[in-house]
Amino acid sequence: MIRRLSEAERRDWLRLARAEAVGPVAFAELIARFGEPREALAALPELARRGGRAGAVKIPSPAEADRELAAGEALGARLIAACEPEFPLALAALDPPPPILWARGQVEALARSCVAIVGARVASAGGQRFARGLAAELGAGGHTIVSGLARGIDAAAHEGALPTGTVAVLGGGVDDVYPPEHRGLYQRILETGCVVSESEPGRAAVARDFPRRNRIISGLSRAVVVVEAEMRSGSLITARLAAEQGREVLAVPGSPLDPRAKGTNDLIRQGAAVCEGAEDVMRALETLRGLREPDAEPFRHPAAGADQALRNRVAGLLSPTPVSRDELVRATGAPPSAVFAALVELSLAGRAELLAGGLVTQG
Amino acid sequence: MIRRLSEAERRDWLRLARAEAVGPVAFAELIARFGEPREALAALPELARRGGRAGAVKIPSPAEADRELAAGEALGARLIAACEPEFPLALAALDPPPPILWARGQVEALARSCVAIVGARVASAGGQRFARGLAAELGAGGHTIVSGLARGIDAAAHEGALPTGTVAVLGGGVDDVYPPEHRGLYQRILETGCVVSESEPGRAAVARDFPRRNRIISGLSRAVVVVEAEMRSGSLITARLAAEQGREVLAVPGSPLDPRAKGTNDLIRQGAAVCEGAEDVMRALETLRGLREPDAEPFRHPAAGADQALRNRVAGLLSPTPVSRDELVRATGAPPSAVFAALVELSLAGRAELLAGGLVTQG
């Protein structure tokens, strides 16, 4: 249900998003179950206790949420909640979407068709030239180029798209410029495009922020192009996320003698489309299956609780190997809403981990 | 029907193969219809006349055939007829196979699993190094490397496979070394591998020999690997022939900035497997569908002739656009053997052209 939040609702939305042990899946489930973040916040301590949590669940106070909102506003950034009309459609189509997004700069760049260009940090001169040219051509074609502000291919892609607008997705807050030598590039990005992040303004990125950052890069984009990537590199993770999200994946081929082509050639071997230029991306977008629209009605579960017996049965079915929620419903024979409720409670207690795509592991 | 020819039969087989207007399709049809080349030779003038030919059809005399056989033997080469046990199985599986093959050197190299490596004549140093290494590794793995003795990738592939045996397919006769600077390579190929050709010994290659040469390169091989190729190059024709023949096609990817990778990247876009090394070729061969076995019984048509009316109806159905023989059978409602007979007669008169894969055009 797309709607604009009041100031009070926005504060509660942010508090729920930042509450301990509430990831995007639990957030979506709680909103689906309780309708309003205020109600979910009120229920959170009891849900965590039912899940088996010993201590209290840490929820930011209204004052703490206000401090984050004020810090963002001081930067000229704005918080976009997943239910709001400015929230990028492609990102809203994720299951689950990130609950919030901070955006600084020309936010309207997010409303255009987005194409991600990512790749090696230690990139060849040719690879950077290719990325720059591809970004310029796709930008001229009306697309917003999304990347991660990293050295190498990312920077080249942003540079190529500066005249038409580009989006940098950061792991830290929207003011956390990394690497530091990209401060000038960052400023120029803000003039025609924008910088976005899930993280709190002022926060410096740490390693575990990058998977979430990568998920937003692909989630914003209808297609992801990988230009130069070694095996087991971050760009390949972004490509895998894109494929899981139903986005088009393209890779730029390279000589087998060039280690920077190993990752992209392997993507092609696995089914990624060959990208030799903007034309290949345009063709992929033409044949692109439509994005899944976000749920029109997030209140899909009747308010239901799980009893202790069901919670324990569900907990007993979990292991480090991901299992789908549908399988848990089948295995328990319980109503889906009760199983989901049990899972949220277990996750708040750290006994379950709710993954994207409806998968669950032991916490 | 695999059998060894007597000397007299071999001479007639060669005379029929070299008769004017008898291509591989007509050859196969004539052998299917008459059983023995001697019978087909005897019928040829009347068939050509029935097809509408004004002048006499030119058939080499027994003495002329003996001269070709003697010229080959003087080189230490041997003529292998398509019906003989030494004729390479993969080549015999073509529809139609070439009627004969001249082979000079270690003919047993043809009996092993063959993999073709072809590519640009003006190849990069890296491309040549890659081809050489790939050939060496596949050779060590028990495969015979097939190529066309051309400059660049072909030469590198032969060189890499010299220790284990390689096959050079020539457009001219088996003694027609082109380019001349490959004389040393040619001699070394003969020591461990062999040189083959459909052409008469002593004959220098002309442009129109190369499509037939390419068809033998792919026809001998279970897989064809293209290393560097510009768009619209001969290597891409070999790849297309390989695909039509049901052989595995692999291509070595390259940077979009390198014009020599345009052709190989395009092959990959069209479905060729990515080749970054011998492992990729081995994998393709493991999953390779079996080659179509040659017909166990070539005498598949009852001896049948076509009447003038049917011949004219068939001729009227032909155009410069290829049509399948099966369509002609359906369109005329006549028995297949009568339609095939009419087509052979028309082809002998130059009024039809019989193509591989059962297709026919106006002559």
Side-chain angles (χ1 to χ4, degrees):
Chain A
M1 200 177 65
I2 293 173
R3 58 181 176 141
R4 193 169 296 287
L5 298 180
S6 71
E7 253 185 68
E9 285 171 332
R10 180 180 314 269
R11 181 200 295 126
D12 286 338
W13 190 279
L14 180 59
R15 289 175 66 208
L16 184 60
R18 299 278 186 236
E20 188 185 8
V22 175
V25 178
F27 186 96
E29 289 294 333
L30 289 167
I31 292 292
R33 178 160 164 201
F34 293 98
E36 295 294 330
R38 169 196 296 270
E39 314 295 323
L41 284 169
L44 214 48
E46 169 62 9
L47 294 173
R49 196 195 54 70
R50 289 216 301 242
R53 190 183 180 90
V57 60
K58 200 179 159 309
I59 303 173
S61 68
E64 285 171 311
D66 282 340
R67 272 199 293 278
E68 176 172 346
L69 289 165
E73 276 159 33
L75 295 168
R78 57 185 285 193
L79 180 82
I80 311 174
C83 64
E84 293 188 304
E86 292 81 7
F87 198 79
L89 259 183
L91 203 56
L94 296 191
D95 178 24
I100 61 112
L101 194 68
W102 275 105
R104 185 181 190 188
Q106 316 305 317
V107 179
E108 61 276 15
L110 292 167
R112 292 199 294 270
S113 157
C114 291
V115 173
I117 300 178
V118 298
R121 285 189 297 275
V122 183
S124 73
Q128 293 181 54
R129 176 154 51 96
F130 182 87
R132 204 175 290 117
L134 181 66
E137 204 171 333
L138 288 171
H143 303 277
T144 292
I145 302 303
V146 178
S147 198
L149 198 69
R151 294 188 179 97
I153 298 299
D154 283 23
H158 286 306
E159 283 164 11
L162 280 174
T164 53
T166 175
V167 173
V169 184
L170 306 189
V174 286
D175 54 342
D176 176 45
V177 182
Y178 185 86
E181 69 264 32
H182 284 174
R183 171 138 317 265
L185 176 60
Y186 173 96
Q187 288 298 341
R188 282 179 291 154
I189 289 172
L190 290 181
E191 287 167 24
T192 52
C194 67
V195 173
V196 302
S197 169
E198 259 189 286
S199 296
E200 188 170 345
R203 172 185 165 138
V206 295
R208 70 181 162 79
D209 292 322
F210 288 101
R212 287 192 310 147
R213 192 270 308 248
N214 293 342
R215 187 165 178 267
I216 293 183
I217 290 177
S218 57
L220 282 170
S221 306
R222 298 167 64 205
V224 172
V225 183
V226 183
V227 185
E228 292 190 345
E230 305 206 17
M231 296 301 276
R232 279 171 296 281
S233 61
S235 306
L236 299 191
I237 295 173
T238 306
R240 182 174 55 72
L241 290 168
E244 287 172 7
Q245 292 164 353
R247 312 304 161 87
E248 206 68 22
V249 179
L250 298 98
V252 178
S255 163
L257 302 173
D258 180 355
R260 282 176 287 228
K262 285 269 174 276
T264 53
N265 287 343
D266 199 55
L267 283 175
I268 291 168
R269 189 181 283 116
Q270 290 173 46
V274 171
C275 177
E276 294 187 290
E279 208 175 287
D280 290 314
V281 180
M282 310 280 200
R283 194 181 311 116
L285 291 177
E286 273 167 25
T287 60
L288 187 64
R289 45 195 171 289
L291 291 171
R292 195 170 54 233
E293 286 296 314
D295 281 338
E297 180 48 88
F299 302 94
R300 57 196 157 173
H301 311 311
D307 63 20
Q308 184 64 37
L310 177 60
R311 239 179 347 257
N312 288 341
R313 270 162 68 209
V314 170
L317 289 166
L318 298 179
S319 81
T321 306
V323 64
S324 79
R325 289 185 290 188
D326 292 346
E327 275 179 87
L328 294 172
V329 167
R330 274 198 297 278
T332 56
S337 59
V339 172
F340 294 170
L343 284 170
V344 168
E345 291 161 11
L346 290 168
S347 80
L348 292 172
R351 293 168 66 194
E353 192 167 355
L354 307 180
L355 310 176
L359 296 177
V360 192
T361 59
Q362 210 167 36
Chain B
M1 202 177 64
I2 293 173
R3 57 180 176 142
R4 191 170 297 287
L5 297 181
S6 71
E7 254 185 63
E9 285 170 333
R10 181 180 311 268
R11 181 201 294 128
D12 286 339
W13 190 279
L14 180 59
R15 289 175 66 207
L16 184 61
R18 300 279 185 235
E20 188 185 9
V22 175
V25 178
F27 187 95
E29 290 294 333
L30 289 167
I31 292 293
R33 180 161 164 202
F34 293 98
E36 295 295 330
R38 171 196 296 270
E39 314 294 325
L41 284 170
L44 214 49
E46 169 63 9
L47 294 173
R49 196 196 54 71
R50 289 216 299 242
R53 188 182 182 91
V57 61
K58 199 180 159 307
I59 303 173
S61 69
E64 285 172 310
D66 281 340
R67 272 200 292 279
E68 175 171 349
L69 288 165
E73 275 159 34
L75 295 167
R78 56 185 287 191
L79 180 83
I80 311 174
C83 64
E84 293 188 305
E86 293 80 8
F87 198 79
L89 260 181
L91 203 55
L94 296 191
D95 178 24
I100 60 111
L101 194 67
W102 275 105
R104 184 182 191 190
Q106 316 305 317
V107 178
E108 61 276 16
L110 293 167
R112 293 200 293 271
S113 157
C114 290
V115 173
I117 301 178
V118 299
R121 285 189 297 274
V122 183
S124 73
Q128 293 181 53
R129 177 154 50 95
F130 182 87
R132 204 175 290 116
L134 182 66
E137 204 171 334
L138 289 171
H143 302 278
T144 292
I145 301 304
V146 178
S147 198
L149 199 70
R151 293 188 180 95
I153 298 299
D154 283 22
H158 286 306
E159 282 164 10
L162 280 174
T164 53
T166 176
V167 173
V169 184
L170 306 189
V174 286
D175 54 342
D176 175 46
V177 182
Y178 186 86
E181 69 265 32
H182 283 175
R183 171 137 318 264
L185 176 59
Y186 173 95
Q187 288 298 342
R188 282 180 292 154
I189 288 171
L190 290 181
E191 287 166 25
T192 53
C194 66
V195 173
V196 303
S197 170
E198 260 190 285
S199 297
E200 188 170 346
R203 172 186 164 137
V206 295
R208 68 180 164 80
D209 291 323
F210 288 101
R212 287 192 310 146
R213 192 271 308 248
N214 293 342
R215 186 165 178 267
I216 293 183
I217 290 177
S218 56
L220 282 170
S221 306
R222 298 167 64 205
V224 172
V225 183
V226 183
V227 185
E228 292 191 344
E230 304 206 17
M231 296 301 275
R232 279 172 295 283
S233 60
S235 307
L236 299 191
I237 295 173
T238 305
R240 183 174 54 72
L241 291 168
E244 286 172 9
Q245 292 164 353
R247 311 304 161 88
E248 206 68 21
V249 179
L250 297 99
V252 178
S255 164
L257 303 172
D258 181 354
R260 282 176 287 228
K262 284 270 175 277
T264 54
N265 287 342
D266 199 54
L267 284 174
I268 292 168
R269 190 181 283 116
Q270 290 173 45
V274 171
C275 178
E276 293 188 291
E279 208 175 287
D280 289 314
V281 181
M282 310 280 201
R283 194 181 309 116
L285 291 177
E286 273 167 25
T287 60
L288 185 65
R289 46 196 171 288
L291 292 171
R292 195 169 55 232
E293 286 296 315
D295 281 338
E297 181 49 85
F299 302 93
R300 59 195 157 177
H301 310 312
D307 62 20
Q308 184 64 40
L310 177 60
R311 245 186 334 266
N312 288 341
R313 272 162 67 210
V314 170
L317 289 166
L318 299 178
S319 81
T321 306
V323 63
S324 78
R325 290 185 290 186
D326 292 346
E327 276 179 86
L328 295 172
V329 168
R330 274 198 298 277
T332 56
S337 59
V339 173
F340 294 169
L343 284 170
V344 168
E345 291 161 11
L346 290 168
S347 80
L348 292 173
R351 293 168 65 194
E353 191 167 357
L354 307 181
L355 310 175
L359 296 176
V360 192
T361 59
Q362 209 166 36

